[in-house]
Amino acid sequence: NAGVTQTPKFRVLKTGQSMTLLCAQDMNHEYMYWYRQDPGMGLRLIHYSVGEGTTAKGEVPDGYNVSRLKKQNFLLGLESAAPSQTSVYFCASSYSQGHYGYTFGSGTRLTVV
Amino acid sequence: SQQGEEDPQALSIQEGENATMNCSYKTSINNLQWYRQNSGRGLVHLILIRSNEREKHSGRLRVTLDTSKKSSSLLITASRAADTASYFCATDPYTGANSKLTFGKGITLSVRP
């Protein structure tokens, strides 16, 4: 049982390049989330999904897009990377709202130069 | 915006001592959760306490919740060097299907051998 798997683990991008971060979960969780973690800022929610085919904006959605075509996958896209998007990105999933904790992936460390 | 605020920001104790960490929040919650993050890793769910509960135990962890003061505390008894990590509280307002956890900025705990 792998839980939540994020790929890649590390990436360096040049300003203006695009990339997609993949999150996959094998727990049949309905809810999935993308957070970014910056020093002194804690975790901030970027986008989330309450089920297959749904997405919604979180606290800091600008510059990111997401898709949830399959229940087990949640993709985070950066169309034109900026240095301000240098961060550690975490994906999480949960079985339901209000009753269970989140299961997190191990993170993707992204540097935009 | 971050709901939970942890206190202190950093804590250093000797192995075998107890560690107490506090979290305050601003609005009504359905539950409050504590997570641990080891350096370079994802967050791990430790414990969830519901708004109608006052205390909960899990192994060496004891969590209390005071909804009248909008505060929670996490006590780790008989600490070990392996407890060295960052600890985050997260609040769940459970406003419906789109409810999300909001994380604090975390407490850095160092346990000296």
Side-chain angles (χ1 to χ4, degrees):
Chain A
N1 192 341
V4 176
T5 303
Q6 291 184 233
T7 53
K9 295 190 184 306
F10 302 94
R11 185 73 185 268
V12 178
L13 282 182
K14 293 183 179 179
T15 298
Q17 285 185 321
S18 64
M19 78 163 294
T20 300
L21 282 68
L22 172 64
C23 176
Q25 53 95 3
D26 61 1
M27 299 168 286
N28 201 34
H29 283 176
E30 203 68 40
Y31 301 84
M32 297 188 75
Y33 314 85
W34 276 106
Y35 286 88
R36 61 178 288 174
Q37 185 177 34
D38 302 291
M41 299 293 292
L43 277 82
R44 292 182 292 169
L45 182 64
I46 305 171
H47 285 281
Y48 64 101
S49 169
V50 300
E52 180 179 312
T54 75
T55 63
K57 294 180 180 180
E59 182 186 353
V60 288
D62 294 343
Y64 306 95
N65 56 75
V66 288
S67 65
R68 183 110 180 260
L69 299 180
K70 293 183 179 181
K71 186 176 184 178
Q72 62 267 35
N73 296 336
F74 195 29
L75 278 62
L76 177 70
L78 286 74
E79 291 186 343
S80 178
S84 60
Q85 294 178 304
T86 293
S87 186
V88 181
Y89 292 86
F90 288 100
C91 176
S93 69
S94 66
Y95 178 68
S96 72
Q97 292 294 67
H99 304 286
Y100 297 90
Y102 289 8
T103 300
F104 279 82
S106 58
T108 295
R109 184 173 294 275
L110 175 67
T111 302
V112 182
V113 297
Chain B
S1 62
Q2 268 139 0
Q3 162 93 296
E5 289 189 10
E6 297 97 342
D7 171 68
Q9 289 186 324
L11 181 62
S12 180
I13 60 174
Q14 201 73 33
E15 202 166 26
E17 293 180 337
N18 295 340
T20 300
M21 291 168 272
N22 303 300
C23 172
S24 61
Y25 58 91
K26 298 176 182 175
T27 60
S28 297
I29 60 170
N30 177 63
N31 67 67
L32 185 144
Q33 305 177 25
W34 285 91
Y35 289 78
R36 183 188 74 233
Q37 183 180 34
N38 291 93
S39 181
R41 308 294 294 273
L43 279 74
V44 174
H45 181 253
L46 294 176
I47 197 164
L48 180 155
I49 186 165
R50 304 187 194 287
S51 60
N52 61 354
E53 297 175 312
R54 292 297 168 257
E55 188 171 313
K56 203 163 183 180
H57 296 256
S58 177
R60 294 184 295 112
L61 305 181
R62 171 178 168 255
V63 170
T64 61
L65 179 64
D66 186 335
T67 53
S68 67
K69 295 181 180 179
K70 292 186 169 57
S71 67
S72 172
S73 67
L74 171 66
L75 170 67
I76 304 175
T77 60
S79 63
R80 306 167 182 169
D83 294 326
T84 294
S86 293
Y87 292 81
F88 294 84
C89 72
T91 52
D92 183 352
Y94 192 48
T95 55
N98 290 327
S99 177
K100 293 88 63 185
L101 284 184
T102 302
F103 288 82
K105 296 181 180 180
I107 297 170
T108 301
L109 173 66
S110 298
V111 181
R112 304 185 301 274

